[in-house]
Amino acid sequence: MQEQEGNKHLEFIKKSIQCAEYGLNNKIGGPFGAVIIKDGQIISEGWNTVTTDNDATAHAEVNAIRKACKTLNTFKLNECFIYVNAEPCPMCLSAIYWARIDKIYYAGSRHDVAKIDFDDSFIYDEINKPLNQRKIPMEQIGREFCLDTLKKWEMLEDKIEY
């Protein structure tokens, strides 16, 4: 059984690589692909479309998450797995956590893609810095105005929690 399961994992990883190749061959974006699986079936496929969509967030994982959510008509992808041709960047990793995907399978490491100028180490470094030491300045203003909205959400009885 485990060998058969291992073959299925490899099949899905290869599909994520095919998605990356599709984007690469069609000059749609960077060399990244993803597939989302539920109950052993592919729910969605995604590839990087950053340059063609002029959207810095149009990474393969985010595109696949958006499609899977529409397909399943939910924003929670519990009981789903994502297969990606390369270790997710910090943004995609965050999106995967927010989508509540159960497990990530990846082929290439972040170090592999850094060698071809997709180096996210500066973001990992920035996250660990105090806010006042980050390259992009952050300044908190108007907090008291925001708190009213947050309180309204907290008190809302018919909200959809996520």
Side-chain angles (χ1 to χ4, degrees):
M1 182 67 174
Q2 283 183 337
E3 184 178 329
Q4 187 178 30
E5 187 176 300
N7 289 338
K8 201 71 162 162
H9 290 308
L10 199 53
E11 176 187 324
F12 293 140
I13 277 292
K14 287 179 178 178
K15 185 64 177 170
S16 76
I17 293 167
Q18 288 174 355
C19 289
E21 291 281 335
Y22 174 82
L24 186 67
N25 293 337
N26 290 285
K27 296 182 171 51
I28 295 171
F32 303 102
V35 294
I36 296 179
I37 309 303
K38 183 168 183 157
D39 299 327
Q41 301 296 315
I42 295 175
I43 301 303
S44 70
E45 301 176 356
W47 41 85
N48 183 294
T49 59
V50 168
T51 57
T52 51
D53 288 349
N54 289 320
D55 180 351
T57 68
H59 290 199
E61 298 92 330
V62 172
N63 287 338
I65 288 168
R66 289 174 179 158
K67 289 176 190 173
C69 288
K70 285 186 193 238
T71 298
L72 298 175
N73 196 32
T74 182
F75 57 87
K76 292 181 182 179
L77 298 177
N78 308 66
E79 300 175 9
C80 290
F81 305 103
I82 189 165
Y83 290 78
V84 292
N85 73 308
E87 184 178 350
C89 74
M91 177 188 70
C92 292
L93 184 60
S94 297
I96 290 165
Y97 272 93
W98 278 115
R100 306 213 182 20
I101 292 173
D102 287 356
K103 189 168 184 177
I104 303 165
Y105 296 91
Y106 68 96
S109 73
R110 68 173 102 163
H111 307 290
D112 295 327
V113 299
K115 292 176 184 174
I116 60 165
D117 294 328
F118 288 97
D119 188 357
D120 298 323
S121 61
F122 74 98
I123 298 173
Y124 289 103
D125 293 342
E126 285 289 299
I127 290 169
N128 291 321
K129 290 181 183 176
L131 296 180
N132 64 350
Q133 293 178 15
R134 292 184 179 171
K135 289 180 183 173
I136 298 176
M138 294 178 68
E139 181 179 345
Q140 185 176 25
I141 59 173
R143 178 175 181 261
E144 65 276 11
F145 302 111
C146 172
L147 294 179
D148 279 345
T149 304
L150 299 180
K151 188 67 170 171
K152 287 176 186 173
W153 170 262
E154 182 181 38
M155 302 306 291
L156 195 63
E157 291 184 18
D158 60 348
K159 64 185 166 217
I160 298 173
E161 303 240 6
Y162 60 97

